[in-house]
Amino acid sequence: MKKLAFILAILTTMPAFAEEYWDDGYNYETAARRDNYVGIRLHKNENIAFKYDINGAGHTTFSKDNWGFGAVVGNRLSDHIKVEFETMYTGAKYTKRNTDFDFDVWANMFNVYLFQEYADAIAPYAGLGIGFASIWGDVNAAYGHLSDSVFDLSYSAMIGVNFALNDRIDLNLGVKYQYYGEVEHKMHGTEYATTDVDATEFYFGAVYKFGI
């Protein structure tokens, strides 16, 4: 009889004990994590610069304000680090010193960000990126037509702020410097000139977060 009373006492206390145990951090039925994201990004090139350097004959630099666009795919690895693949396009057409220039730039970057989130809504961040850019350059001048392309190393540094509108949609604003690379212009099979391309850009983006 005493054993039965003891067993009944244990059984009656188990639900309360289990509830306390569950609430102390062992509840695995948490909200779904949405650490993956895809999105779009618009770039405002406040100062994309094309430095055209003719071998032994000086150089000229043209800066242009224009727009670029891109797409991103990323993952938040932890509460302070996220990684991202970014692909983007920009370019410029201009005339200087009776020479027509036409450049197209397509960059593919791997970005790493450090961020700090506040109130589950605002997250300032800083990041670095490295990747490769394809640059196509056409130069039409009195001395001839130069049409060349290159696949060159590209790198960037950025700072910005991310705003969580809800658990699915984020907006982000930022500014970055990016070195896109250098294209060589050849005439009769030899290097005639080079063009360095870099930019200081403001960007605006939106992403959709999801889990796997």
Side-chain angles (χ1 to χ4, degrees), residues 17-211:
F17 175 77
E19 183 177 359
E20 181 180 356
Y21 185 78
W22 198 255
D23 290 339
D24 281 343
Y26 291 89
N27 186 357
Y28 293 100
E29 295 182 1
T30 57
R33 292 182 63 88
R34 298 189 175 99
D35 292 331
N36 307 292
Y37 62 88
V38 295
I40 57 175
R41 190 169 288 170
L42 293 177
H43 300 258
K44 178 63 171 67
N45 297 315
E46 287 298 314
N47 186 22
I48 187 166
F50 300 87
K51 182 180 178 182
Y52 181 66
D53 189 357
I54 300 176
N55 293 343
H59 66 268
T60 180
T61 301
F62 179 81
S63 297
K64 184 176 178 64
D65 296 345
N66 67 345
W67 291 86
F69 59 89
V72 296
V73 178
N75 177 267
R76 190 165 78 169
L77 297 179
S78 72
D79 291 338
H80 301 288
I81 299 174
K82 65 180 179 180
V83 295
E84 175 185 275
F85 171 76
E86 179 181 17
T87 182
M88 57 186 170
Y89 167 83
T90 189
K93 293 182 179 180
Y94 60 95
T95 299
K96 193 168 185 179
R97 296 181 181 177
N98 298 319
T99 302
D100 296 325
F101 298 88
D102 185 358
F103 289 94
D104 294 288
V105 183
W106 180 31
N108 294 284
M109 307 296 293
F110 177 75
N111 302 325
V112 179
Y113 300 94
L114 295 177
F115 67 93
Q116 177 63 53
E117 194 171 56
Y118 298 96
D120 295 326
I122 300 175
Y125 62 83
L128 295 173
I130 190 167
F132 292 94
S134 296
I135 305 174
W136 295 269
D138 282 304
V139 181
N140 281 297
Y143 47 79
H145 175 220
L146 310 176
S147 181
D148 301 278
S149 62
V150 70
F151 187 63
D152 203 5
L153 181 69
S154 180
Y155 55 85
S156 61
M158 65 286 283
I159 57 173
V161 181
N162 194 78
F163 302 93
L165 297 185
N166 52 47
D167 63 348
R168 288 286 189 180
I169 305 296
D170 283 2
L171 299 180
N172 61 80
L173 299 170
V175 60
K176 73 174 179 176
Y177 168 81
Q178 177 141 353
Y179 176 76
Y180 284 104
E182 179 186 81
V183 58
E184 297 179 353
H185 306 284
K186 293 183 178 180
M187 182 178 290
H188 308 303
T190 61
E191 181 185 303
Y192 176 80
T194 61
T195 299
D196 273 306
V197 185
D198 66 349
T200 301
E201 305 176 338
F202 291 95
Y203 59 86
F204 169 80
V207 303
Y208 175 80
K209 299 176 291 186
F210 61 95

